[in-house]
Each structure stands twice: as structure tokens, then as C-alpha cells.
Amino acid sequence: MTDNLRIWLSNPLAIYTGNDEDASGGIVVSGKAIVELVAKGETPVNIDQTIDVSDQVLIPGLINTHHHFYQTLTRALPAALNKELFPWLQTLYPVWANLDPEIHRAATKLALAELLLSGCTTASDHHYLFPANLTDAIDHQIEIGREMGVRMAMTRGSMSLGQDQGGLPPNTVVQTEDEILQDSERLVSRYHDREPYSMSQIALAPCSPFSVTTELMRDTASLAKQLNVRLHTHLAETIDEENFCERSFGMRTVDYLESVGWLSSNTWLAHGIHFNDEEIARLGKAGVGVCHCPSSNMMLASGIAKVKELEAAGSPVGLGVDGSASNDCSNMIQEVRQAMYIQRLRYGSSAVTHFDAYRWGTKGSAQVLGRDDIGELAVGKAADLALFKLDEPRFSGAHDPLAALLLCGAHRAEAVMVNGEWRVKAGELVGQDIERIMHEHKEAANTLAARAIS
Ligand code: ZN
């Protein structure tokens, strides 16, 4: 615990603050917050501890705005390889239906460990599988997040439209609307902390148009309004989904979103790829946020989100690693790099800089989550930060350190602080045994795969 010690992270090799302030001399943190930015050549006063970071790049802690922790268990699963979204989901739903508490805990722990080690300080998860023995899945996630010290933005996912009703998921993994809404309310009252520097928040998150009923979308929007929490879902990820919406509801995805009361600045969408210009204008005007998931979109060949148009229209844009079965990793700094490259394919390399990519992974992601206390290195913001050393062969000879972090492919942070506490030091998790986490996770993944075969 740093208490109220004033700690100066001095003279970083390079710094990205997310604003125009000069912090070349580093930053001072105290308690949970950043209390001072130090200009070039300056020395702050009343410092209790100075940490020389002159061989490290300093950035705000990365913020992941869309994930499915449990999918770390089905990475590179042979049966699901080389498929597009719908057949990929139909292959995996029956495997995921066998989740149990122990397996789910192992997945959550591994996902959070991997995120932390890649410089991520705030993690969102979209959990929507609640078999009878796993109705407290999100309680587990919050508990493990607290233990590991990650800022948690959990979303209470849901599926209510089984195959019998024309949906995509098997009937065994869907819940009734009453069960979903009651549990959503329970989770918000138990875990949704609205205070500055909050470490746990809950949003409501029906899975997608093809896995929940229209009534559930509408009722969830009403409940979110009543409880004053945010809304999240997958939208416009694939052309298959667009066709499903036109066939089932007689409208395109954004019209559907509006029809169920979701076209609001309280909403953020995962993917948001297949929008036309008129739809982008409407989303931007309403302030709907979009979580761009570049690796997943490449892996499933879903398409390339129009993030520049969305931002210009007024939509906050953040990043997400998405579920680790469609990535197949949970590495946040690599995701920032992927975002830069996939967007260059759309807009050209001079139109997408490493600063754009950093913005999406930090301040943009914070806006997507509706938070103004994280995502930037500025006075009063939470002390959430990541430091990277450029001491691997991949960086050798690199000139601009901030560009090199993305261009040369950084993948592991040297140190990570969340809310003023060190959670990664010297490239290792603080107080966690990564070998044990990996061992338990591998066992869990094997158990789940074996259950699917038997
Ligand atoms: Zn997803």
C-alpha cells in the first residue's frame, strides 16, 4: 500500500499522457491518484520515494472494454478452427455449456493475469453463460478481480432466445427473462460502486440480437435506466447478424437498437462493424460507444470497423481483446498494435498514428465505459499506469520509444500500477503464482474439452 506517500516515477524514457501537458519529468502519485505532472528538467518537492524509470516507457493503464474470460479455455480448439462467427459459435456453445465454478474461476484468474501482464489495469468482461451450477459466475469474477487488484467493469450478460425460439444458442444455456432481470438487479445493488476510483462496476448486457428476445432487450434498457447503469451488447459484428435482424425483425441492426430503447450515450457496443453512413451519424449523435476488437474481427473475418467515422460522428471508441477463443489471447498492448494496423488498411498509414491507437486503448476506452477518472495521466486521475522496458531484441536499435512500443510489438509490461498499488513488478505479478495459475487453467481447459467429447 502506497498510503499517502508521494512517489515520483522520474524521467521516463518516453511518456504518453493522453493530453497536452508536459510530463517529460514523470508523474507523482499518492494514494489512489496522480497528484502531479513533472515538466522536463523539473524536480518535484516533498517526495518520499523516487523510482527512476529513465529506461522505461510510461503510459496510462490500458483499458479493455470487451472480453469473455471463460473463452481462454477453448483457445485454438480444433473443432472451432477456421470458421466464421455463426458456425464458430454453434461449435462452441455445447462445449461452453459444461462450464462449472472451478473451471470458470481458473479461466477468470488466467485472463486477469494475462491482461495485467500486458499493461491492462481495467478489465471488462461479458459473461452470458449461467448454467444451473454457475449462477454466481459474476460474483466469482468480482472476488477474483479484487484479489488480483484489477479494476473491474463487469457486464451481466444474458441469453434468452434458444434454438426452439429461432435463436442461435442451445436451449440448455438460456435463462428466463425473470431470472436474468432479477439477477441483474442483485448484482448492481451488490457490486456497482459509483464513487470516484471505483474498483467494481456492473453494466447490463444481453448477448446479441440473435440470442435474446426483443422483450429482454427492451426490459433490460428500462432496468438499466431505473438503476442508472450502462448497457452493453454485441452489434453489427457480421453480415450474418445483419441478415438475421432483417429476417427476424424486419429491420437493420441500428433500427433494431433504437426500437428497443438502446440508442443512447449509456450504451456501448462490441464490434460495431457493419454500419452505413446514416447509421454512424445516428450512433454518433446519440453518443453510443463502440468497442473495436481488431484481432477477433480479423480471426473471424468479420470486417473492419469504421472507427474514424464513428469518432468524428461523436461516438467514443475503445478497444477490446474480445473472447480469447477468437483472438486467441488476451494481450492488451498487442491489441493496441493490431488496432493501429487494421485501421491503416482502412484509412491508409498516414491517417492512423500510434497516438490514435494509444488513445483508443486508454481515454477512448474510459469514455466507452462512462468513466472520467481513468484513461489518462493527469492530476486527479486514478494512479493506473503501465511501464514497458525496451530491452528485448525486438526493440534493439529503435529510435522513437513511444512508436517502438507498438511498431516493434511490445507484449509484456515491466510494471503495472492499479489505483496506486503495484500489481506487476519486474515483469511478474505481485503476490500471485503465475505457474500455478497456468497449471490450474490448463487442467480446467482439458477437463472442459474432455466433457465435450464424452
Ligand atoms: Zn464478444
Side-chain angles (χ1 to χ4, degrees):
M1 184 73 186
T2 52
D3 294 317
N4 290 324
L5 294 179
R6 281 170 53 85
I7 302 171
W8 177 27
L9 304 177
S10 75
N11 300 305
L13 181 63
I15 185 166
Y16 172 77
T17 58
N19 53 56
D20 296 332
E21 300 292 316
D22 177 11
S24 315
I27 64 171
V28 179
V29 303
S30 181
K32 297 175 180 175
I34 296 166
V35 293
E36 195 173 333
L37 300 186
V38 183
K40 191 180 172 93
E42 298 290 315
T43 301
V45 296
N46 300 326
I47 292 301
D48 299 296
Q49 185 188 9
T50 299
I51 301 175
D52 178 359
V53 293
S54 58
D55 61 347
Q56 295 167 54
V57 176
L58 174 56
I59 63 172
L62 299 171
I63 301 171
N64 188 38
T65 62
H66 184 70
H67 201 336
H68 310 284
F69 294 163
Y70 72 86
Q71 289 185 12
T72 57
L73 299 158
T74 50
R75 288 168 164 165
L77 193 75
L81 292 177
N82 314 323
K83 287 186 162 63
E84 293 181 4
L85 181 69
F86 278 17
W88 176 85
L89 280 171
Q90 283 160 329
T91 304
L92 287 166
Y93 281 140
V95 182
W96 296 334
N98 291 312
L99 280 179
D100 68 28
E102 196 181 339
I103 286 175
H104 182 246
R105 279 173 178 273
T108 300
K109 212 155 186 183
L110 189 281
L112 288 174
E114 195 183 357
L115 286 168
L116 268 177
L117 288 168
S118 67
C120 177
T121 53
T122 297
S124 185
D125 194 66
H126 188 179
H127 189 87
Y128 51 79
L129 286 162
F130 298 88
N133 62 349
L134 194 59
T135 52
D136 51 0
I138 291 179
D139 301 71
H140 297 166
Q141 292 182 320
I142 297 271
E143 180 195 323
I144 294 167
R146 282 182 181 158
E147 183 191 317
M148 298 183 74
V150 182
R151 203 180 291 283
M152 304 286 273
M154 296 298 100
T155 73
R156 205 295 180 185
S158 52
M159 296 202 292
S160 63
L161 192 69
Q163 278 165 351
D164 282 359
Q165 294 169 276
L168 206 65
N171 297 327
T172 51
V173 295
V174 304
Q175 290 183 296
T176 66
E177 186 167 326
D178 280 349
E179 284 171 331
I180 292 163
L181 294 173
Q182 274 174 23
D183 194 51
S184 299
E185 203 163 351
R186 177 187 73 83
L187 288 165
V188 170
S189 71
R190 190 145 186 200
Y191 300 115
H192 190 72
D193 175 5
R194 300 172 198 275
E195 295 299 312
Y197 314 134
S198 161
M199 290 295 282
S200 76
Q201 294 197 334
I202 303 283
L204 307 189
C207 189
S208 60
F210 52 82
S211 58
V212 301
T213 59
T214 300
E215 293 71 32
L216 184 64
M217 287 294 284
R218 206 173 274 132
D219 290 348
T220 303
S222 304
L223 183 62
K225 201 169 185 182
Q226 181 196 322
L227 300 175
N228 190 22
V229 294
R230 295 177 75 72
L231 288 164
H232 179 52
T233 192
H234 294 94
L235 200 81
E237 182 175 359
T238 64
I239 297 293
D240 282 347
E241 179 196 331
E242 192 174 298
N243 293 338
F244 178 93
C245 281
E246 287 186 351
R247 203 170 56 241
S248 304
F249 313 122
M251 54 183 108
R252 287 174 54 81
T253 53
V254 175
D255 294 325
Y256 180 64
L257 201 71
E258 186 165 25
S259 76
V260 289
W262 278 57
L263 202 64
S264 125
S265 59
N266 220 25
T267 298
W268 89 96
L269 307 171
H271 306 293
I273 298 169
H274 300 283
F275 298 135
N276 61 33
D277 292 348
E278 180 266 337
E279 289 165 338
I280 288 173
R282 278 159 68 201
L283 290 162
K285 191 168 175 221
V288 175
V290 171
C291 167
H292 176 38
C293 303
S295 296
S296 171
N297 298 160
M298 285 188 270
M299 199 287 228
L300 296 169
S302 303
I304 307 176
K306 298 174 186 170
V307 301
K308 286 266 179 179
E309 285 96 328
L310 284 160
E311 278 189 314
S315 284
V317 170
L319 297 184
V321 299
D322 201 6
S324 298
S326 64
N327 185 311
D328 280 0
C329 67
S330 313
N331 190 301
M332 203 46 206
I333 189 70
Q334 284 184 6
E335 205 63 28
V336 178
R337 180 182 202 248
Q338 298 282 47
M340 178 174 70
Y341 284 152
I342 193 175
Q343 290 302 326
R344 283 184 174 189
L345 279 180
R346 179 171 279 289
Y347 299 109
S349 53
S350 59
V352 179
T353 70
H354 55 285
F355 295 109
D356 289 317
Y358 281 125
R359 181 181 70 254
W360 296 325
T362 56
K363 198 172 180 177
S365 281
Q367 288 167 340
V368 161
L369 296 181
R371 295 196 61 152
D372 60 7
D373 57 343
I374 56 174
E376 225 182 309
L377 300 179
V379 172
K381 304 287 179 189
D384 286 13
L385 55 92
L387 289 151
F388 290 84
K389 264 190 180 171
L390 307 187
D391 60 352
E392 296 171 70
R394 67 178 72 216
F395 298 111
S396 183
H399 297 276
D400 178 331
L402 213 46
L405 204 60
L406 300 189
L407 293 167
C408 305
H411 64 115
R412 188 155 179 161
E414 170 70 10
V416 176
M417 178 182 274
V418 190
N419 226 26
E421 309 254 10
W422 290 112
R423 297 301 178 183
V424 174
K425 275 186 175 176
E428 301 292 339
L429 294 172
V430 176
Q432 299 288 335
D433 182 347
I434 189 67
E435 295 301 326
R436 187 172 169 185
I437 291 172
M438 284 172 59
H439 174 74
E440 289 174 359
H441 180 262
K442 271 183 229 163
E443 299 267 302
N446 289 340
T447 304
L448 192 66
R451 279 183 194 165
I453 295 163
S454 61

